[in-house]
Amino acid sequence: MPVEITWWGHATCTVRDSGVRVLTDPLFVRRLAHLRRRRGAVPPPEAAEAEAVLVSHLHADHLHLPSLARLAPGTRLVVPRGARRAVPGLGRLARTRGLVVTEVVAGEEVRVGEGIRVRAVSARHDGRRVPFGPQRVRALGYVVEGAARTYFAGDTGPFDTMAEETGPLDVALLPVGGWGPYLGPGHLDAEGAARALARLAPSAAVPVHYGTYWPIGMDAVRPHEFHAPGEEFARLAGVLAPKVAVRVPAHGERVRLP
């Protein structure tokens, strides 16, 4: 049974495997602080329907409390260990909305529904809740294992043990950009993601984390960093990882893989 991926924009995807929906880093707003959604409609209410939600790290564009408030009571929320302490609003939200919060570190697994396991893996990214508080919480990626093995990398830079930690994969959801004209450390651009793809060697891949949000007033600053990363990743993957089928969905589009 193939897995279905719906890309809602930025790092927000629905992974549907064996009838179970797993949602990643939900962000369901038109504007976040200085960022404006420049492409794709705000995801519809059904985008928040999931049996489990995976949060890769604590930055506000990945752990977004108003978006998490749209989840149905009883939804399992998987977050990096320490998230409740670092973001007190998360505990309050969990109590008022009836969310089941599970904190994990790399190597730990969570079962979701029948036949789905979610395994946390490492990421190389500053995972703290900037700028609030001194707490540091490690960023994570996740492998969703059901009929397929789907890797959601979250936000990460390259690291040597990435393929070793994920193990064999069917699908990789890889970040290829960001929300501004320049990427700092702890990120993958299109070329870095294509090189990571060559090491991971899944059957299929989808680029994420690009082409959605951009700083207000900076539309003319390095606009290729907003528009180009998805197709550039696909082009480079064809050279560096030619056996991998790359799909570049539009916002809100569902693709069946592998």
Side-chain angles (χ1 to χ4, degrees), residues 51-137:
E51 283 67 53
V53 175
L54 312 180
V55 173
S56 62
H57 62 287
L58 306 190
H59 292 173
D61 58 323
H62 293 260
L63 194 164
H64 185 250
L65 295 176
S67 294
L68 295 178
R70 291 175 52 175
L71 302 175
T75 303
R76 180 179 292 277
L77 183 60
V78 183
V79 299
R81 184 169 296 171
R84 278 179 177 266
R85 181 185 70 251
V87 187
L90 178 60
R92 292 193 294 269
L93 178 65
R95 290 191 296 273
T96 58
R97 291 296 300 165
L99 305 179
V100 180
V101 178
T102 302
E103 296 191 345
V104 295
V105 296
E108 294 185 331
E109 292 185 353
V110 177
R111 290 194 173 273
V112 180
E114 293 294 330
I116 297 293
R117 293 185 304 164
V118 174
R119 176 166 50 91
V121 297
S122 300
R124 295 296 183 269
H125 191 71
D126 182 356
R128 62 183 169 168
R129 187 70 162 185
V130 180
F132 304 108
Q135 297 97 340
R136 281 190 171 271
V137 177

Side-chain angles (χ1 to χ4, degrees), residues 74-230:
T75 303
R76 180 179 292 277
L77 183 60
V78 183
V79 299
R81 184 169 296 171
R84 278 179 177 266
R85 181 185 70 251
V87 187
L90 178 60
R92 292 193 294 269
L93 178 65
R95 290 191 296 273
T96 58
R97 291 296 300 165
L99 305 179
V100 180
V101 178
T102 302
E103 296 191 345
V104 295
V105 296
E108 294 185 331
E109 292 185 353
V110 177
R111 290 194 173 273
V112 180
E114 293 294 330
I116 297 293
R117 293 185 304 164
V118 174
R119 176 166 50 91
V121 297
S122 300
R124 295 296 183 269
H125 191 71
D126 182 356
R128 62 183 169 168
R129 187 70 162 185
V130 180
F132 304 108
Q135 297 97 340
R136 281 190 171 271
V137 177
R138 291 187 181 276
L140 296 173
Y142 297 95
V143 178
V144 179
E145 300 185 31
R149 292 158 298 187
T150 302
Y151 172 42
F152 168 63
D155 246 355
T156 187
F159 58 99
D160 292 341
T161 61
M162 181 184 284
E164 177 184 340
E165 290 196 40
T166 61
L169 297 171
D170 297 297
V171 179
L173 310 178
L174 294 179
V176 300
W179 50 252
Y182 301 96
L183 286 176
H187 294 88
L188 292 172
D189 60 9
E191 181 178 354
R195 294 189 182 280
L197 185 67
R199 296 193 298 271
L200 293 166
S203 298
V206 173
V208 301
H209 204 270
Y210 78 100
T212 308
Y213 292 93
W214 204 251
I216 293 170
M218 298 188 69
D219 290 7
V221 180
R222 293 171 59 86
H224 60 283
E225 297 293 351
F226 178 84
H227 295 283

